Amino acid sequence: MARQTARSSARRTSKRAGLAALLVLPLALGACGGGGGSASSGSSDTLRVLDYYNSDPNKTLWNDAIEACGKTVGMKISRESVPGESLIQKVLQQSSSKTLPDVLMLDNPDVQQIAASGALAPLDDLGIDSSGVADGVLKASTYEGKLYGLQPVTNTIALFYNKKVLEAAGVTPPTTWDELKTASAKLTQGEQYGFAMSNVNTYEGTWQFLPFMWSNGGDEKDIDTPQTAAALQLVKDLMDSKSLSQSSVNWTQADVADQFTAGKAAMMINGPWNFGTLDKVSGLEYGIVPIPVPQAGGKTVSPFGGEAWTVPQTGDEDKQKKAAELVQCLNSDDNEVKISLGTGTVPTKPALADQVTSQNPNLKAFADQVPDLRARTGELGAEWPKAATKIYTAVQNALVGGMTPEDALKQAQNG
């Protein structure tokens, strides 16, 4: 499963340690990126690859895929994996020394910012075929109408529930907001809360709130709307009724998982990167369903994580073509299925979902969401971090700041 991939993406979503660097990246890369191009270093028969898959299972799975694709395209591979928090700094250093790699992996919310710097080659111009990939996933790697990254696998969040606890209480997994409130109240007993999610004041809190906001028609361009207010009112109602712990304003997703595994939460919002942790808990039987929607029959619209493979502007057109062939190979149907099963992610091509979920049913709730996944940077691009900050600020002010959802959202929107 995707322990590293999903966790890395989600945590980068929340911490974004390289944000400051990203904000200045366009100037830094633009000086030697798209303008005149930077010289690619290394032998003409070798592709240099940079990523942050530095621990298993991702390290080995991706290494095998990259090496196999290297043979397919007739090139040797020189691969470097760095810690996730070091990737952007590494790219800056390589840009300065004109030694950008031939193939660069990026966390999907970063692709547009790097593309805006001129450091990446448009994949459309290199003959990349992106057919079959979910529109929302492609949107995250598209800048000014050009595709700059291709993402083979992804992850998102869903509603986990304790099968034994729900069965004992006579509760079926909720599918609507009303059902969520009713089920959560019934499941709240003694030290056990019915429902848990992260409402922390970081991008991680925003990441968890987005499915409620987006599924109700809320939009990050303007959060001061009745749709987003209703989503925030739902979370506030759950907390006011004591079905959701007030401590959730300090919980990360890992803390939420701890509450669930300790039996202190009957249901939780979380991602597939927790499978390993949950499966180690003796006697714990859990199920997973999409996050409840406002009305029956509605669609859950969730954000997604995962990384995209890009081709930097190295100035060596022949190697850029070979790099594009490697990226295409990494995104082949066979590799999407193999990587998904090995890392606990799901394919970005919805048509491949059955091949994965038939072998790992726990992934179905995540795979079913792929056609409707929405990119965090899809509408605002580089402005997304500002919107994300407004969202988690409003959530905190409504849950523990004494403000109504409407006032909290209005204040956050207007700064």
Side-chain angles (χ1 to χ4, degrees):
M1 55 152 282
R3 294 178 185 87
Q4 182 190 358
T5 303
R7 185 171 54 232
S8 296
S9 183
R11 287 185 175 177
R12 251 180 296 284
T13 299
S14 65
K15 297 179 179 178
R16 312 289 293 170
L19 183 58
L22 285 171
L23 293 175
V24 300
L25 194 54
L27 294 176
L29 287 179
C32 54
S38 59
S40 173
S41 61
S43 304
S44 60
D45 64 349
T46 301
L47 290 177
R48 294 175 52 245
V49 179
L50 177 63
D51 60 68
Y52 58 54
Y53 297 131
N54 62 350
S55 63
D56 281 329
N58 282 282
K59 179 180 179 179
T60 300
L61 279 167
W62 280 109
N63 190 71
D64 291 348
I66 292 167
E67 289 290 341
C69 284
K71 291 180 180 178
T72 298
V73 304
M75 296 291 283
K76 297 178 182 176
I77 299 296
S78 175
R79 180 189 176 212
E80 182 178 9
S81 296
V82 298
E85 60 272 19
S86 303
L87 182 70
I88 295 302
Q89 186 60 39
K90 183 73 174 181
V91 172
L92 286 167
Q93 292 170 353
Q94 291 183 333
S95 175
S96 179
S97 60
K98 297 186 177 182
T99 57
L100 283 169
D102 300 297
V103 178
L104 171 63
M105 182 221 71
L106 290 170
D107 197 14
N108 78 75
D110 295 342
V111 173
Q112 292 186 7
Q113 291 196 57
I114 307 297
S117 76
L120 302 180
L123 298 184
D124 319 69
D125 298 345
L126 294 171
I128 287 281
D129 178 9
S130 61
S131 58
V133 178
D135 290 342
V137 175
L138 290 178
K139 204 169 183 179
S141 295
T142 299
Y143 175 71
E144 294 189 342
K146 293 282 189 178
L147 182 67
Y148 286 89
L150 203 55
Q151 180 176 340
V153 297
T154 187
N155 61 77
T156 185
I157 47 181
L159 184 72
F160 289 67
Y161 63 94
N162 187 312
K163 289 183 176 180
K164 292 180 180 176
V165 171
L166 265 66
E167 183 178 352
V171 172
T172 56
T175 60
T176 66
W177 287 6
D178 284 344
E179 290 178 1
L180 176 62
K181 289 197 287 188
T182 300
S184 297
K186 192 170 184 179
L187 293 166
T188 299
Q189 299 177 7
E191 295 184 352
Q192 173 186 280
Y193 288 94
F195 175 69
M197 66 179 288
S198 168
N199 292 302
V200 68
N201 61 340
T202 69
Y203 297 152
E204 197 165 352
T206 297
W207 159 270
Q208 289 240 321
F209 179 68
L210 284 176
F212 293 120
M213 179 178 115
W214 282 344
S215 299
N216 199 42
D219 192 281
E220 55 270 33
K221 287 181 179 177
D222 181 5
I223 62 173
D224 180 20
T225 65
Q227 291 83 2
T228 302
L232 185 48
Q233 185 66 57
L234 168 69
V235 180
K236 183 172 171 56
D237 287 346
L238 288 164
M239 183 171 288
D240 289 348
S241 66
K242 301 188 186 307
S243 297
L244 168 67
S245 172
Q246 194 170 62
S247 297
S248 69
V249 297
N250 296 316
W251 287 346
T252 64
Q253 293 183 106
D255 296 328
V256 171
D258 288 343
Q259 295 294 314
F260 186 74
T261 57
K264 295 183 178 180
M267 301 184 292
M268 70 167 179
I269 291 178
N270 229 311
W273 50 92
N274 290 291
F275 287 168
T277 299
L278 302 183
D279 292 343
K280 292 178 182 176
V281 180
S282 179
L284 176 62
E285 297 179 12
Y286 61 91
I288 310 165
V289 294
I291 293 171
V293 293
Q295 303 292 334
K299 290 184 178 179
T300 304
V301 183
S302 297
F304 63 91
E307 296 78 23
W309 293 92
T310 68
V311 177
Q313 290 278 18
T314 61
D316 187 332
E317 294 184 359
D318 289 340
K319 289 186 74 174
Q320 284 183 215
K321 291 178 181 176
K322 283 295 182 183
E325 291 178 21
L326 187 85
V327 169
Q328 187 78 72
C329 178
L330 292 175
N331 286 268
S332 70
D333 291 357
D334 287 346
N335 276 328
E336 286 203 20
V337 171
K338 186 182 300 182
I339 296 296
S340 291
L341 289 170
T343 62
T345 50
V346 291
T348 55
K349 297 172 186 167
L352 301 176
D354 288 347
Q355 295 184 46
V356 172
T357 58
S358 63
Q359 298 181 65
N360 185 350
N362 276 339
L363 291 173
K364 181 171 174 51
F366 305 100
D368 287 349
Q369 296 186 64
V370 170
D372 300 307
L373 291 176
R374 181 163 162 175
R376 286 159 285 173
T377 54
E379 287 194 353
L380 297 177
E383 296 300 309
W384 162 250
K386 294 180 181 176
T389 301
K390 292 178 180 178
I391 293 170
Y392 71 66
T393 299
V395 169
Q396 287 264 313
N397 283 336
L399 296 185
V400 293
M403 299 179 72
T404 66
E406 289 81 3
D407 287 345
L409 291 165
K410 183 184 292 293
Q411 178 176 287
Q413 178 63 36
N414 297 328

